[in-house]
């Protein structure tokens, strides 16, 4: 592949983007590490595309700065930035062949025709499109167009590659295939990827780290496991996967554990590591657990150490092939979602049964209310 | 798939539908365009009596040669005027169309309407108004004379300049609209992509915008050049002796000299010249998608 330029970190520092009415990005700071695959996840309209466009140079931040390594690129136009983009719609040039599309960036940078042709050839190999160089984009399938868009950006060996929902036009099967391809290509070229997606599973499987955004702010940042197992805010807990959340008051720490008092006088135990940063004793918090972490047991069974438990009544039981999904009505009138794998348990509870919900203390977490995160979460 | 009678009938009907839909237009085209065209070509081979206008078929090919030798000068004048007017229109229309397409914002339709408003008035009247404007005691020349920009014996009416200006003015919308459509159609994300790939604004214009609107420019060229080439109104109203265009010659041959054979031969020659020109032009800029824009 030839050598890439020395990888550098890309930093957004207190970046805000105010459109006439809307604050699309709100005082956002983020450090993108050299060579990582970072996903940007969040609901529609939360500012993902705007963030990408500011990195690409298509929008200027209202306030704040963007650095590539030590260089401040905030005011630079797109064609002066060492960034390339894979656009959602691919935006391939319809009047140019596949080869000329891929060579476009190289030629504009003054690479000679012969050198460009050679690198285009290598790139076509990498994305598995050798032999299609002379075709027009209109004569390619969706998946092929997507790979041309990727090749056209990657061939320039940018400091940062931006991908704005590049898979959204592909069907589920092709999408799976391209996810694997993309991950392979990324590890092969070692370029930093900033990947915007709506698809949580995609973000969880492909990323080194995930950023969860909401209303222009970062709500969560970390490895997929960290963000999933130890969400920092209630927004992250319910946006990324599903969570059962209960309001409560955080007690004081004893031997690495906190007790949270929830309505009805119950106490739930949480490991200190699973309590969101910046919370102090007796603050109002939410305590949560993922649906798949809960076991349902007949309510008469003896308590076990190291578990939290709450009683309830099965309100709805749904069979979905690989598993059973339950809605359990807890005493304070809240529905809990519980997901149990279908492992042939003959004692699976039925609607109306009284049950006890049990889950390990280490799978219990405590989150802050949304929007209160201090942005940099290194 | 071959099957019962019903599916055969359905298939037949499905195949027939496009042709049925095209029928009214086809009848129109054949009856009112192709037939007269053939009649004209046949007429050019007949011999007509200058007294009565009655014609008899004589397979007389000589008409083409004799008309050409008589009026080649006017042909060349027409080619020149139409060419210059088209060039002026392309240069004027491109920035207008570009501005409306890229910076028109929400008022695009309003701007397009402004471009077209003068053309709600009849072609002849518009041209006559130009005559009025450019006449020796008209507002333009009087003002220019009063401020001593031009000498007292300066005139525009009757010159080639007046004819070309009239042509350029009258056909401007035919140039601007196809270019506008072509520019408007360009996916704006391609411009982002181009800048993303290190092309400056100027390079983006020459490498992306211009190539993508060439079919529109070609359509604009055809829609301006062909009517301007055959036009006689502008020359008759704004021109004078010495700049007669072929359109005037044809009109006179038909309507004053009643020489239908000669007029038909001239028209046929005009058509062939236009066709050859178009084919050459199309070949040169290699446009495969002209059809889309016409
Ligand atoms: N050019 C603009 N002018 C005004 N408002 C804008 C502009 N671009 C974006 N916005 C607004 O900024 C907010 C963030 O938009 P953005 O496109 O960044 O969202 P997104 O996270 O990419 O959403 P999606 O997942 O739907 O693509 C939205 O409320 C949007 O309406
Ligand atoms: Mg978006």
């Amino acid at each position: 592949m030839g050598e890439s330029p020395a990888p550098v970190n890309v930093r957004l520092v207190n970046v805000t983007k105010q459109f006439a009415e809307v604050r699309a990005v709100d005082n956002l700071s983020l450090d993108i590490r050299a060579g990582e695959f970072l996903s940007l996840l969040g609901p529609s309209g939360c500012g993902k595309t705007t963030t990408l466009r500011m990195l690409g140079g298509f929008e200027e931040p209202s306030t704040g700065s963007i650095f590539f390594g030590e260089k401040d690129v905030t005011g630079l136009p797109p064609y002066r930035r060492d960034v390339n983009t894979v656009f959602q719609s691919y935006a391939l040039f319809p009047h140019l062949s596949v080869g000329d599309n891929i060579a476009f960036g190289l030629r504009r940078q003054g690479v000679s025709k012969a050198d460009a042709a050679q690198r285009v050839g290598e790139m076509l190999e990498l994305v598995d499109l050798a032999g299609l160089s002379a075709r027009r984009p209109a004569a390619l399938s969706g998946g092929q167009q997507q790979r041309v868009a990727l090749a056209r950006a990657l061939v320039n060996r940018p400091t940062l590659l931006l991908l704005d929902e590049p898979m959204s036009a592909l069907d589920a099967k092709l999408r799976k295939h391209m996810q694997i391809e993309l991950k392979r290509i990324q590890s092969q070229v070692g370029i930093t990827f900033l990947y915007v997606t709506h698809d949580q599973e995609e973000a969880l499987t492909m990323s080194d780290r995930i950023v969860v955004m909401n209303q222009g702010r970062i709500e969560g940042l970390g490895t997929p496991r960290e963000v999933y197992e130890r969400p920092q805010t209630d927004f992250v807990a319910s946006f990324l996967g599903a969570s059962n959340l209960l309001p409560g008051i955080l007690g004081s720490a004893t031997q690495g554990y906190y007790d949270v008092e929830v309505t009805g006088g119950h106490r739930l135990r949480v490991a200190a590591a699973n309590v969101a940063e910046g919370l102090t004793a007796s603050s109002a918090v939410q305590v949560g657990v993922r649906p798949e972490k809960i076991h349902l047991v007949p309510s008469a069974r003896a308590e076990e150490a190291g578990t939290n438990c709450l009683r309830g009544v099965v309100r709805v039981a749904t069979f979905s092939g690989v598993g059973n999904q339950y809605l359990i009505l807890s005493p304070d009138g809240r529905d809990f979602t519980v997901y149990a794998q279908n492992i042939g348990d003959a004692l699976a509870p039925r609607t109306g049964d009284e049950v006890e919900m049990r889950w390990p203390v280490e799978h219990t977490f405590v989150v802050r209310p949304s929007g209160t995160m201090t942005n940099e979460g290194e | 798939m071959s099957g019962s009678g019903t599916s055969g009938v359905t298939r037949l009907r499905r195949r027939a539908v496009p042709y049925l839909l095209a029928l009214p237009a086809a009848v129109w085209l054949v009856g009112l365009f192709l037939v007269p065209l053939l009649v004209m070509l046949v007429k050019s081979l007949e011999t007509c009596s200058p007294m009565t206008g009655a014609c008899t078929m004589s397979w007389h090919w000589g008409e083409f040669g004799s008309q050409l030798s008589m009026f080649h000068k006017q042909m060349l004048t027409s080619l020149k005027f139409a060419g210059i007017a088209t060039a002026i229109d392309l240069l004027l229309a491109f920035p207008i169309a570009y501005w409306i397409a890229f910076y028109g914002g929400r008022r695009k339709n309003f701007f397009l309407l402004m471009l077209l408003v003068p053309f709600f008035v009849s072609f002849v009247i518009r041209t006559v108004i130009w005559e009025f404007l450019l006449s020796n005691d008209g507002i333009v020349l009087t003002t220019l004379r009063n401020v001593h920009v031009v000498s007292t014996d300066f005139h525009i009416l009757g010159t080639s300049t007046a004819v070309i200006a009239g042509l350029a003015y009258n056909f401007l919308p035919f140039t601007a609209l196809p270019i506008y459509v072509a520019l408007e159609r360009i996916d704006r994300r391609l411009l982002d992509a181009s800048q993303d790939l290190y092309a400056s604004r100027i390079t983006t214009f020459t490498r992306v915008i211009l190539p993508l609107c060439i079919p529109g420019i070609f359509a604009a060229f055809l829609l301006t050049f062909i009517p301007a080439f055959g036009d006689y109104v502008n020359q008759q109203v704004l021109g004078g002796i010495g700049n007669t265009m072929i359109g005037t010659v044809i009109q006179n041959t038909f309507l004053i000299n009643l020489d239908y054979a000669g007029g038909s031969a001239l028209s046929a020659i005009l058509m062939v010249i236009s066709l050859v020109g178009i084919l050459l032009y199309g070949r040169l800029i290699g446009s495969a998608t002209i059809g889309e824009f016409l």
Side-chain angles (χ1 to χ4, degrees):
Chain A
M1 272 318 306
E3 71 302 336
S4 293
V8 294
N9 290 8
V10 171
R11 278 183 301 139
L12 292 137
V13 182
N14 301 112
V15 170
T16 294
K17 178 69 191 182
Q18 181 82 40
F19 292 113
E21 304 274 284
V22 193
R23 178 163 291 198
V25 173
D26 189 2
N27 194 27
L28 180 140
S29 295
L30 175 65
D31 205 338
I32 305 169
R33 295 174 190 157
E36 76 173 329
F37 192 121
L38 181 65
S39 286
L40 208 53
L41 193 65
S44 191
C46 73
K48 304 181 297 288
T49 298
T50 307
T51 307
L52 241 58
R53 288 179 63 80
M54 287 191 290
L55 282 164
F58 301 109
E59 304 277 2
E60 228 179 293
S62 309
T63 58
S65 323
I66 298 171
F67 293 91
F68 288 3
E70 292 311 308
K71 190 172 158 214
D72 186 342
V73 300
T74 313
L76 289 186
Y79 51 89
R80 295 260 172 73
R81 293 189 189 202
D82 197 10
V83 183
N84 290 106
T85 309
V86 177
F87 294 89
Q88 179 168 358
S89 53
Y90 313 144
L92 298 176
F93 301 121
H95 59 297
L96 299 179
S97 68
V98 166
D100 288 342
N101 260 282
I102 300 176
F104 193 93
L106 294 175
R107 299 287 290 141
R108 300 292 84 73
Q109 287 173 294
V111 174
S112 77
K113 232 180 184 141
D115 288 353
Q118 192 196 330
R119 281 168 68 175
V120 167
E122 289 169 5
M123 218 57 221
L124 283 168
E125 293 280 340
L126 183 75
V127 298
D128 219 2
L129 285 180
L132 294 187
S133 178
R135 289 250 194 112
R136 286 288 164 98
L140 297 179
S141 73
Q144 289 170 333
Q145 289 182 22
Q146 204 247 337
R147 277 178 282 170
V148 175
L150 183 64
R152 185 177 71 171
L154 275 180
V155 75
N156 304 294
R157 295 177 198 143
T159 300
L160 176 64
L161 185 73
L162 305 173
L163 304 101
D164 195 352
E165 303 192 41
M167 311 277 193
S168 59
L170 307 182
D171 66 51
K173 201 168 169 192
L174 190 54
R175 187 184 266 239
K176 263 261 139 27
H177 175 70
M178 283 308 299
Q179 286 171 8
I180 297 167
E181 280 290 279
L182 196 63
K183 193 65 194 161
R184 169 183 70 82
I185 290 168
Q186 196 257 343
S187 49
Q188 208 163 326
V189 295
I191 288 172
T192 317
F193 276 36
L194 181 57
Y195 187 91
V196 166
T197 177
H198 262 121
D199 184 336
Q200 307 177 10
E201 200 189 316
E202 196 167 280
L204 289 170
T205 50
M206 294 172 70
S207 319
D208 295 320
R209 292 195 304 158
I210 294 179
V211 176
V212 182
M213 275 183 81
N214 187 31
Q215 298 188 345
R217 287 188 296 260
I218 293 182
E219 292 268 345
L221 171 64
T223 64
R225 190 171 290 278
E226 280 165 3
V227 176
Y228 186 82
E229 304 284 7
R230 274 179 281 143
Q232 295 281 305
T233 68
D234 54 355
F235 175 81
V236 176
S238 40
F239 182 78
L240 194 72
S243 291
N244 296 298
L245 293 174
L246 276 179
I249 304 292
L250 191 65
S252 50
T254 42
Q255 295 165 344
Y257 289 94
Y258 284 90
D259 274 337
V260 183
E261 189 170 336
V262 298
T263 31
H266 292 284
R267 280 171 184 283
L268 299 177
R269 195 141 250 256
V270 193
N274 291 357
V275 175
E277 289 151 32
L279 289 176
T280 50
S282 74
S283 35
V285 295
Q286 303 217 62
V287 57
V289 59
R290 299 280 184 189
E292 73 277 11
K293 303 285 167 56
I294 302 176
H295 293 284
L296 295 179
V297 295
S299 56
R301 208 183 273 177
E303 285 208 18
E304 304 162 51
T307 62
N308 284 313
C309 56
L310 281 177
R311 279 163 187 249
V313 178
V314 178
R315 204 163 66 75
V316 182
T318 352
F319 176 68
S320 70
V322 292
N324 290 304
Q325 189 165 337
Y326 303 96
L327 284 182
I328 311 285
L329 189 64
S330 71
D332 69 336
R334 212 170 283 270
D335 268 333
F336 269 66
T337 307
V338 176
Y339 183 80
Q341 266 200 308
N342 180 6
I343 46 173
D345 191 350
L347 295 173
R350 272 174 263 168
T351 311
D353 285 359
E354 269 202 33
V355 290
E356 208 165 272
M357 298 181 280
R358 289 190 182 167
W359 66 92
V361 166
E362 68 264 30
H363 289 147
T364 315
F365 53 82
V366 167
V367 293
R368 276 192 309 270
S370 174
T372 53
M373 178 152 177
T374 48
N375 256 322
E376 190 52 275
E378 283 298 270
Chain B
M1 278 302 288
S2 83
S4 61
T6 38
S7 89
V9 169
T10 320
R11 207 180 322 148
L12 199 66
R13 195 183 299 155
R14 194 171 301 155
R15 270 203 206 147
V17 162
Y19 295 101
L20 288 175
L21 287 174
L23 195 62
V27 167
W28 173 279
L29 197 68
V30 170
L32 299 176
F33 182 73
L34 277 183
V35 170
L37 192 68
L38 278 177
V39 169
M40 184 195 86
L41 289 175
V42 168
K43 273 258 181 288
S44 67
L45 300 177
E46 293 179 346
T47 310
C48 298
S49 145
M51 304 300 149
T52 60
C55 302
T56 47
M57 172 52 78
S58 56
W59 297 107
H60 181 61
W61 290 92
E63 204 62 70
F64 287 89
S66 60
Q67 293 292 341
L68 206 52
S69 67
M70 264 191 289
F71 297 117
H72 66 273
K73 188 164 158 283
Q74 285 81 348
M75 288 263 178
L76 289 177
T77 308
S78 290
L79 273 179
K80 190 173 101 188
F81 286 4
I84 296 174
T86 306
I88 292 173
D89 275 351
L90 285 173
L91 289 177
L92 282 178
F94 197 92
I96 297 174
Y98 187 89
W99 188 86
I100 297 178
F102 284 94
Y103 301 100
R106 266 178 292 172
R107 309 198 23 216
K108 275 177 192 167
N109 289 334
F110 171 74
F111 292 129
L112 284 177
L113 189 70
M114 293 310 288
L115 193 66
L116 290 177
V117 158
F119 299 87
F120 291 5
V121 176
S122 136
F123 182 55
V124 176
I125 296 194
R126 254 183 291 139
T127 315
V128 171
I129 291 172
W130 267 64
E131 181 194 13
F132 170 72
L133 280 175
L134 298 179
S135 69
N136 286 341
D137 41 9
I139 182 163
V140 176
L141 286 190
T142 318
T143 315
L144 288 178
R145 265 197 300 269
N146 286 347
V147 297
H148 302 289
V149 173
V150 298
S151 61
T152 43
D153 58 349
F154 182 82
H155 67 284
I156 299 179
L157 223 52
T159 63
S160 307
T161 313
V163 181
I164 292 170
L167 287 171
Y169 165 71
N170 272 315
F171 295 108
L172 186 66
F174 298 102
T175 332
L177 287 180
I179 296 178
Y180 168 78
V181 171
L183 289 169
E184 179 62 31
R185 269 193 183 195
I186 295 177
D187 185 345
R188 300 301 189 263
R189 287 168 296 201
L190 294 179
L191 311 185
D192 278 354
S194 169
Q195 289 205 38
D196 189 66
L197 294 164
Y198 312 104
S200 64
R201 283 167 180 278
I202 293 173
T203 319
T204 299
F205 179 79
T206 56
R207 296 275 167 177
V208 181
I209 297 177
L210 209 53
L212 284 174
C213 77
I214 280 204
I217 294 176
F218 186 52
F221 167 81
L222 292 184
L223 290 177
T224 312
F225 181 80
I226 292 174
F229 186 39
D231 183 71
Y232 57 90
V233 174
N234 283 282
Q235 194 273 326
Q236 283 182 10
V237 176
L238 303 171
I241 326 151
N243 51 33
T244 312
M245 290 173 70
I246 197 67
T248 309
V249 172
I250 294 176
Q251 200 212 10
N252 290 342
T253 314
F254 269 113
L255 300 183
I256 296 176
N257 303 342
L258 299 183
D259 177 6
Y260 295 152
S264 300
L266 275 175
S267 301
I269 293 169
L270 200 68
M271 217 171 71
V272 169
I273 292 178
S274 298
L275 278 177
V276 169
I278 293 164
L279 288 180
L280 273 181
Y281 194 93
R283 197 34 81 75
L284 281 183
I285 56 177
S287 171
T289 51
I290 315 158
E292 285 179 50
F293 285 85
L294 282 176

